[in-house]
Amino acid sequence: MDSRRKRVALLIESSREYGRGCLLGVADYLRTHGSWVVTHYERGQTEGVPRALREWRGDGVIARIENGEVADLVAGLGVPTVDLRGALRPAGGAMLDTDHAAAARLAADHLLDSTQGGFAYCGFPGVDFSDAREREFVRYLGTHGISVACYRAAAHAGGAADEGPLNPRRGEAPDLSEQEGERIGRWLQTLPGPVAVWACNDERGRQIVDACAVLGLAVPEQVAVVGVDNDAVLCELSNPPLSSIQPDTHRLGYLGAELLDRMIEGGEPPGQTVLVPPLQVHARRSTEPTAVDDRAVASAMRIIRDAACRGVGVEQVAKDVGISRSTLERRFRRTFGRSPAAEIERLRMARARLLLSETTERVAAIAKTTGYNSAAQFITAFKRHNQLTPGQYRTSQARSGAAPSGAAPTDQTRAVQNV
């Protein structure tokens, strides 16, 4: 490669939070490693290929390839390509995606805390990412002996069921129509309540909440809902606001840029899709703990869920809700059967287990990420809760087939570094 600046095209939609997060990750890589001339083709998620890209000549592409038209055009450019969507691998290129199994575990664990009722999944039947999330959600809850009701109405509408799964090369747009909302409403009415629903993304989640409003179903008392993407606009426009899983799109973009840089220099792309686990569940009112009449306790739970891994303590929670610590502890225990301190540590442990199983992040870094003052304090707490040290737990997960991925330094990072 000569010393001139590399010319890179970014074919990533900026109309949604997911695409914007990926773009910011690319931008952060450029700030520390940048010698690129970047052309960003502004487009919406379902818009066609920009005409200008057909004439573009450069050194590499980072794209979210959602259909065959985009795949074919990018392939025709004949340059190293990194895909950040996970449906159609570029010829000779690399592909990254959110870890759907990790997202399913986050959703299930969050909803297990939010309802005493049944579980359901509502996605876009036949759409690749939605079907992958459904499979993992059903599988994970199945290990807990819990069955999941899955939305199927759209697959049977207009004969689509006879055509088999949707072809990702065609890139059919998911159905967000009013008619589809009515079908979802009819499906919700068939489910025994209360029920906790994982929506494949925030658009579907908001559609579920809207259907509940039409039917007079209370959210979250009768239907608890959590989405994916943590798109602030979609989540806050939902009434009540929608809880959502926050994918690590910044890391997707950063790793994608790092991979492309090395591929342009002649490195080989990793043979398998690089999976990046999501960051957390951003809890909003659509999954507030049900049947909590005590407003102070409900507020305390919201604060704990938002700030447990940032090191919040019981004293601060009590201060924020305006009652004494002893009063909070008594009322919290009466409501949930455990102390606020136990809830803080439970949430920290859930996050720690995810990081240990999905990444190769060092224990000291995980301790900091989960709100502990030191690695020693974290190790003591982890062993008390899990009867294993963090290292032993990580080893046990590796033996059971849980492949680390996503956070630095990770197997994916090593793959990037070794090409």
Side-chain angles (χ1 to χ4, degrees), residues 4-24:
R4 67 181 175 81
R5 298 177 71 189
K6 300 165 188 173
R7 293 166 294 166
V8 173
L10 303 180
L11 192 60
I12 300 172
E13 79 284 351
S14 56
S15 58
R16 288 287 184 265
E17 190 71 24
Y18 198 103
R20 291 193 294 270
C22 291
L23 289 168
L24 288 173

Side-chain angles (χ1 to χ4, degrees), residues 13 240 295 332:
E13 79 284 351
R295 292 186 178 182
F332 197 98

